[in-house]
Amino acid sequence: MDWTIKPVKTLRGTITVPPDKSVSHRAIMFGAIAEGDTRVTNFLMGEDCLCTLNAFKSLGVEIAHSKGTVEIRGAGLSGLKAPKRPIYLGNSGTSMRVISGILAGQKFTTILEGDDSLSNRPMERIMKPLKEMGASIRSLSDGRCAPLEISPSKTGLSGISYNSPVASAQVKSCILAAGLYARGETSVTEPFISRDHTERMFEYLSVKVARSGCTAKVKGGSKLIARDIAVPGDISSAAFFIAAGLIVKGSELTLKNTGLNPTRRGVLDVLLRMGANISVMDQKEGVEPVGDLLVKHSLLRSTIVKEEEIPLLIDEIPILIIAALHAEGETVIKGISELKVKETDRVESMRFNLAKMGVSFREENGNLYIKGKVNGLKNAIFDSFCDHRTAMSMAIAALSAGGNSTVQNVNCVNTSYPSFYTDLMSVSQ
Ligand code: S3P
């Protein structure tokens, strides 16, 4: 499927931000191995999270769902059952990496498979620490990528203190999940703090997490005690409309129920620094903090995004590039190597598409340099590279192009934001 995007005069209205993908995944994963029943509300019915949901059904967990509400009968740490066939996880890196941590502690063998993109993403980053813990995990392809085969550990898992070379919440969550099955304590230290949804959900479900700076530690054998989970709106999805509201003249958008976890809201903090007119209203605390955002068209100025900020906004870099094109001065985004190992290489996908609009950015020593205040963005035919965030970023960029544009192969948005185009049309004037 393709989208046609027409230039808009302005954007006005209210959008209820779709449920958070990262929190939806974790609600299923940790609800499945908790003691007792969990009711998840505002669950993201996107393809990635449905892969996680189906994975746990294949592992014998009773799960019923209807319209964003999921009921999970927790199997406890040791109640999962051997699946009848390999588990397919589609495009979802979070599913593959975090579920591997849970499976490392099981007494049966599982094979995890993914689509072409997921089968080319690096898995050594979880295989190495899991092997150090005593897990039996191997790649059934080139030694580095999925499919992965995870068999019962010969020795049982032992806790480790792992210094992760990357700041990655997927890696951290994988190790902490395996830590529940390990002897002794398991700790992960990252170079910079990454999103802390796993730590928060563990704590919410009565598992103590010792946190200090960039380190999180859990005790083996800690039991998760089921509790209802209300998933916040996804700030990564809201980010497309935040940027659109700031860029398009005369815009005023309200984004309801946006997740505001301090380890996720980097995009908001960077845009505020760039002069964005965004007010946070009606902030509430739950498993995660949420609030409504009022976004008004703003004259943006450039900024420097530091390397330690990258994990706090990793998924928002494509749309930040679009915002930076509209800012006064040159924006620098430092330390972007992780952007190249997402659903696609997002440096290349954005470079390719922006060239079609007649603009470019510079990449030097792992940093991006984006000159702003571009005039006369050309309309064109864009390629999603089967990556949801590239597709949605280019749709927002096309709102201020010289004529009608097309974004091709947009089915990929079903992974995180199935109603994106409908929402965009509903606020376009
Ligand atoms: C996620 C962590 C991030 C992010 C991904 C979701 C998570 O990946 O890009 O979309 O839910 O833990 P990394 O851990 O690879 O940075």
Side-chain angles (χ1 to χ4, degrees), residues 135-325:
S136 297
I137 177 166
R138 66 184 183 112
S139 153
L140 298 180
S141 72
D142 60 351
R144 299 180 310 122
C145 295
L148 301 179
E149 184 188 69
I150 305 164
S151 309
S153 162
K154 294 197 173 72
T155 52
L157 301 185
S158 309
I160 54 167
S161 297
Y162 191 67
N163 266 313
S164 175
V166 281
S168 157
Q170 294 178 356
V171 171
K172 173 177 61 179
S173 304
C174 167
I175 299 168
L176 293 178
L180 299 178
Y181 293 91
R183 283 183 297 273
E185 291 183 334
T186 298
S187 77
V188 189
T189 302
E190 307 183 272
F192 307 114
I193 288 179
S194 66
R195 62 188 71 188
D196 67 354
H197 303 303
T198 294
E199 296 92 308
R200 278 174 184 259
M201 203 174 287
F202 275 14
E203 286 162 352
Y204 181 76
L205 302 177
S206 306
V207 165
K208 224 170 145 231
V209 183
R211 301 209 231 177
S212 156
C214 297
T215 302
K217 183 158 70 178
V218 292
K219 273 205 182 97
S222 306
K223 285 185 179 148
L224 297 155
I225 308 298
R227 240 177 117 185
D228 292 350
I229 297 169
V231 177
D234 197 324
I235 193 164
S236 301
S237 299
F240 300 105
F241 288 99
I242 299 174
L246 296 173
I247 292 167
V248 177
K249 286 203 180 105
S251 296
E252 190 168 320
L253 293 175
T254 303
L255 306 173
K256 304 281 270 184
N257 194 35
T258 309
L260 294 172
N261 177 325
T263 61
R264 277 297 290 287
R265 52 169 282 165
V267 66
L268 208 60
D269 296 326
V270 166
L271 287 168
L272 287 169
R273 207 156 78 207
M274 292 173 81
N277 185 343
I278 306 172
S279 330
V280 179
M281 300 170 308
D282 202 15
Q283 192 165 333
K284 295 189 199 89
E285 294 298 320
V287 189
E288 300 264 339
V290 292
D292 299 341
L293 302 180
L294 176 64
V295 181
K296 293 185 183 169
H297 168 248
S298 308
L299 297 174
L300 299 176
R301 50 183 183 272
S302 61
T303 191
I304 297 177
V305 180
K306 297 190 247 24
E307 197 177 356
E308 61 260 40
E309 290 181 293
I310 296 295
L312 315 179
L313 47 74
I314 180 69
D315 292 337
E316 290 68 74
I317 297 175
I319 192 62
L320 259 185
I321 294 174
I322 305 301
L325 289 173

Side-chain angles (χ1 to χ4, degrees), residues 1-46:
M1 198 178 72
D2 300 342
W3 291 327
T4 301
I5 308 285
K6 296 180 184 159
V8 289
K9 280 205 210 73
T10 193
L11 297 168
R12 293 203 156 234
T14 299
I15 289 170
T16 298
V17 176
D20 190 283
K21 183 155 82 70
S22 293
V23 178
S24 295
H25 278 302
R26 286 161 173 81
I28 301 287
M29 295 170 185
F30 304 137
I33 56 168
E35 309 274 322
D37 296 349
T38 301
R39 183 166 209 259
V40 185
T41 47
N42 198 35
F43 175 77
L44 176 66
M45 290 286 174

